[in-house]
Amino acid sequence: MSDGAAITVDEVVAWLRDFAAVMAREKDALTALDSAIGDGDHGINMDRGMRAVMEKVDAATPADVPALMKTVGMALISKVGGAAGPLYGTLFLQFGSAAGPDGLTPDGWAACLAAGVAGVRARGKAELEDKTMVDALQPAADAVSAALGEGASFADALARGADAAEEGARATIPLVARKGRASYLGERSAGHQDPGATSSAHLVRSAARMWAV
Amino acid sequence: MSDGAAITVDEVVAWLRDFAAVMAREKDALTALDSAIGDGDHGINMDRGMRAVMEKVDAATPADVPALMKTVGMALISKVGGAAGPLYGTLFLQFGSAAGPDGLTPDGWAACLAAGVAGVRARGKAELEDKTMVDALQPAADAVSAALGEGASFADALARGADAAEEGARATIPLVARKGRASYLGERSAGHQDPGATSSAHLVRSAARMWAV
Amino acid sequence: MKKLINDPADVVAESLRGFAAAHADLVRVNADPAYVVRADAPVKGKVGILSGGGSGHEPMHGGFVGRGMLDVACPGEVFTSPTPDQMLEATKAVDGGAGVLHIVKNYTGDILNFEMAADLAREEGIEIEAVITNDDVAVQDSLYTAGRRGVGVTVLAEKIVGAAAEEGQDLAAVAELCRRVNAEGRTMGMALTSCTVPAAGKPTFELGEQEMEIGIGIHGEPGRERLPLASAKEIVERLAGPVIDDLPFASGDRVLAFVNGMGGTPQIELYLVYNELAQLLEARGITIARNLVGSYITSLEMAGCSITLLRLDDELIRLWDAPVLTAGLRWGA
Amino acid sequence: MKKLINDPADVVAESLRGFAAAHADLVRVNADPAYVVRADAPVKGKVGILSGGGSGHEPMHGGFVGRGMLDVACPGEVFTSPTPDQMLEATKAVDGGAGVLHIVKNYTGDILNFEMAADLAREEGIEIEAVITNDDVAVQDSLYTAGRRGVGVTVLAEKIVGAAAEEGQDLAAVAELCRRVNAEGRTMGMALTSCTVPAAGKPTFELGEQEMEIGIGIHGEPGRERLPLASAKEIVERLAGPVIDDLPFASGDRVLAFVNGMGGTPQIELYLVYNELAQLLEARGITIARNLVGSYITSLEMAGCSITLLRLDDELIRLWDAPVLTAGLRWGA
Ligand SMILES: Nc1ncnc2c1ncn2[C@@H]1O[C@H](COP(=O)(O)OP(=O)(O)O)[C@@H](O)[C@H]1O
Ligand SMILES: Nc1ncnc2c1ncn2[C@@H]1O[C@H](COP(=O)(O)OP(=O)(O)O)[C@@H](O)[C@H]1O
Ligand SMILES: [Mg+2]
Ligand SMILES: [Mg+2]
Ligand SMILES: [Mg+2]
Ligand SMILES: [Mg+2]
């Protein structure tokens, strides 16, 4: 894909496929993170969800990005459960709604991500530093938009977004959780990286990998 | 006590007290033996029973050996439970019945033990080499009688009885149990010493210690 | 991981099949989406009572489906809340025209999924009320947490509210009753061991031979603090104390005392705990008018217990005593 | 040892106090000698049903005392049979003039103590029948063993015989019925973990992470063989196979299928096991007419299960379905 050209459905599918593979690979690691401050299922949930997504998408790939993202969001909502199901589901649903039917440019992609993150925040009511996936997603969305605004290539913008997401995820380590299951632990939640922020960083890194050239 | 002289109630009480102390000390060891081929309570049962016996006896020591042994037997029957309760209870009840009211000589003592062992066998229907307390008690009763018959002192006779009991207990190790809980294990019961034979050997050794001089 | 299972991925589905086979007189089980519904649903004109949550808490909720309690239960994956589409189908299966009450335990996942489900059901013209239970005093109810977890009171609420619906109370009344039960109940739990989520394959947390977790939830979450193992008497004080002080329960109150096992603790211990609790409450002048002792809201094979107190009045006692006919709770029928 | 207890020596007594407090509507508990007796005992003209055995198997037997099941239960120390004096007092407490049935599980200790108790009771003029249950197919019934252990069928016998006594059958009939139930039932059990006797403080046996014991009893005895951990499906085959072959149960038979938890196994697994059992029996043409799934005859906190099959006829079904009102089993009342 050259800069400014339309992002194809196939590319978005490839992004999702990469993310699904990462979720399968990182399942145990994510679950271990969730065992420390949650209930030990985040990796299992995400892996189950992304498997269901790829099955649906591979059975009949929707024609455009909005339709694709609706399929993805609904599959996650109906297969993941827990907090991550509705939150990731909303992320993709809002991403798709923002995409519109007329093809997607890098700027459009960035706006979609921002819309998705806004959807997550509206649903989960989490602020930055509540130690949730928002701590990876919001910096990522901001970084991609900023980079494109500064004239960076889509590849570079996504790389900066992925870096920001990973940094955001790492920055959850010292935080005391204020949302989700981890908040029950109070001070004991500090010292562990948030599992949802970690899976979110993987999502953005998958995008960076997909559109790397 | 000089040979041929009457055995006093106090001496019998001292024998029981020694046995009670041994049961307290050997509680865990007996329970470990019972864990291997039974249900892990023999030491606990015997310790509970002998504590109850000594409490009863110390509160009001019966005047003669038959009365004493009836108290002992009934206390064991009502406090031990399991297989050991009725079996040890019967041992002491029959010992007491055989004693008669007129004082006890070493020969009488040997006859009482034989009667007790016969009672155990009648109640439990165990043969020699069934891997039970009978494998310690029967050789002990036989050895004491034989030694006295050969003119040995009471002290020597009891020492030989205790040796025979311990040897009998050790000889249960290779046996496959045919009575009691251990028989459920079939071949797997071989290779472990029988807990009841072990506590019985302690009982005879306590007697040997009591009347050592 | 030592469990009586086949493939860890199939645990919930296979267990539900067994449940369906064992209790065909009481319930029907729908496989996909998964729900357990009373055999005679929908009951016309009766408010439907729906609850749901992750699996691994059995008998809650499937074991409470039947006459006088739940109309339908939605089991999620182990410790993972069920999904909106599942809740929607379940809601439709029990809508007898009088609306459906959703009883939701306060966990972010449950809340989010139930919110979506309620939206979907309302779009289909079904009246929905959702009541959130949040009785766990181990968690501070503050801006800095997701709020208190819904635990033991959920079981009691399902029984009492189920009785009210059975006798024909309308949706508003049943929802109000459910909120009242939640408001009058408090719980705190502890663990002696962790549990193992089948798909994870190893214990959620590790506890030393001489340690216990106080203030746990029901999902194998670590608790508020880890303390040296203590006697049942001390443990009861540590659980019942905060429970009593929080409402607070006062001398003269009549309560339902609920000693709950976490799944791996045998009855002999639960009754021993109840003995301590009864003494403690008597010393405080609190009367146990009703009690429940057993493993009703569990965390797989976790060893441990929770103590729930619910303040009773004559109305709640009447509804508690009303007949109930489910796999997990049964009396008067 | 991680248990919710105080002094290990007081576990049974304290747990009984809790049981008494929790179920004062159903039973009275005598502390010394220990027995749990139904609140309205003795019932005049009714055969008294007594059972007893070591503690640690809860709800058996105390949890089965009440209308339609046991009149009285004698709990021994943990895994230790109760004593003759205790059984005598319990017998007297339920003698309504029609005699008393002693239901005895086949263990040397239980047999010896019950024999003595029966002698004592007869001396006091009470008619006694004793029936021994010995349904455990894991043990060979031969001269080389103490015979088969009494396990799961005991629970079923207590329910069925209790119903017969409740409807006024006489001692001979009730004893004969009990022998018939025992003759028609078979059981086999397995363990994933050992249990720990409180007074012993450590596990009775050690099992590796990848091992299981097949053919265990209910006292933490090691079983017949130690095998690598297997799937629920294979385990069910290993338990149900010998059970079916022993009676033998045949195609066309109607059975009561009883999946019992050993104390530390959660319901989600027991229903999964039941699912496997139902499939296996269906494939063999055996019809499950009634079922029972839960932890009813346990070994403290042991993880594992047992499978019991009881061949039914219309009479046994009628008695099984009859009302029962106890802490551990309750229906129709
Ligand atoms: N209110 C919230 N807003 C945003 N993200 C949240 C919120 N609550 C939880 N999360 C995210 O969800 C993750 C946990 O997901 P998961 O383990 O799948 O669900 P559950 O907590 O229901 O078991 C957390 O690590 C966190 O990042
Ligand atoms: N039929 C029997 N005859 C003689 N001794 C027996 C018999 N059955 C069991 N025993 C003895 O009892 C001992 C076990 O006692 P104990 O552990 O206290 O009772 P239980 O087996 O009921 O738990 C065995 O080691 C054995 O020596
Ligand atoms: Mg989680
Ligand atoms: Mg023993
Ligand atoms: Mg979860
Ligand atoms: Mg025993």
Side-chain angles (χ1 to χ4, degrees), chain D residues 274-295:
Chain D
Y274 183 75
N275 181 47
E276 293 297 339
L277 179 61
Q279 290 176 42
L280 184 150
L281 292 177
E282 188 174 358
R284 300 244 197 161
I286 299 169
T287 304
I288 302 181
R290 293 293 183 275
N291 71 79
L292 185 66
V293 181
S295 297

Side-chain angles (χ1 to χ4, degrees), chain A residues 60-186:
Chain A
T61 310
D64 56 21
V65 174
L68 172 63
M69 287 316 211
K70 179 155 192 196
T71 300
V72 173
M74 292 309 292
L76 290 174
I77 287 171
S78 77
K79 283 297 166 193
V80 176
L87 291 168
Y88 271 102
T90 299
L91 178 73
F92 286 104
L93 287 182
Q94 295 299 327
F95 189 111
S97 299
D102 308 326
L104 205 55
T105 61
D107 281 334
W109 194 99
C112 287
L113 181 61
V117 176
V120 169
R121 296 184 65 161
R123 183 147 295 286
K125 302 190 185 65
E127 303 292 327
L128 279 170
E129 308 211 331
D130 278 355
K131 193 172 184 125
T132 72
M133 50 199 282
V134 170
D135 292 326
L137 289 173
Q138 188 67 64
D142 294 348
V144 174
S145 295
L148 291 175
E150 291 162 17
S153 71
F154 190 41
D156 285 350
L158 289 178
R160 277 163 64 179
D163 290 347
E166 284 162 6
E167 196 179 312
R170 267 195 309 276
T172 63
I173 296 178
L175 296 176
V176 172
R178 286 186 298 225
K179 281 283 179 299
R181 244 175 240 299
S183 71
Y184 302 140
L185 284 178

Side-chain angles (χ1 to χ4, degrees), chain D residues 89-142:
Chain D
E89 291 307 314
T91 301
K92 291 201 276 191
V94 299
D95 175 33
V100 177
L101 175 70
H102 288 181
I103 302 180
V104 186
K105 297 186 297 305
N106 187 37
Y107 300 96
T108 306
D110 293 62
I111 299 278
L112 297 179
N113 285 284
F114 267 103
E115 273 174 11
M116 287 187 161
D119 289 349
L120 294 171
R122 288 190 191 107
E123 274 170 32
E124 303 214 8
I126 303 175
E127 211 186 335
I128 302 291
E129 282 263 16
V131 175
I132 293 162
T133 61
N134 61 347
D135 52 308
D136 186 354
V137 303
V139 176
Q140 278 191 357
D141 189 10
S142 80

Side-chain angles (χ1 to χ4, degrees), chain D residues 24-40:
Chain D
D25 50 332
L26 299 175
V27 302
R28 280 179 294 115
V29 174
N30 197 66
D32 190 17
Y35 58 82
V36 178
V37 63
R38 62 188 260 184
D40 58 349

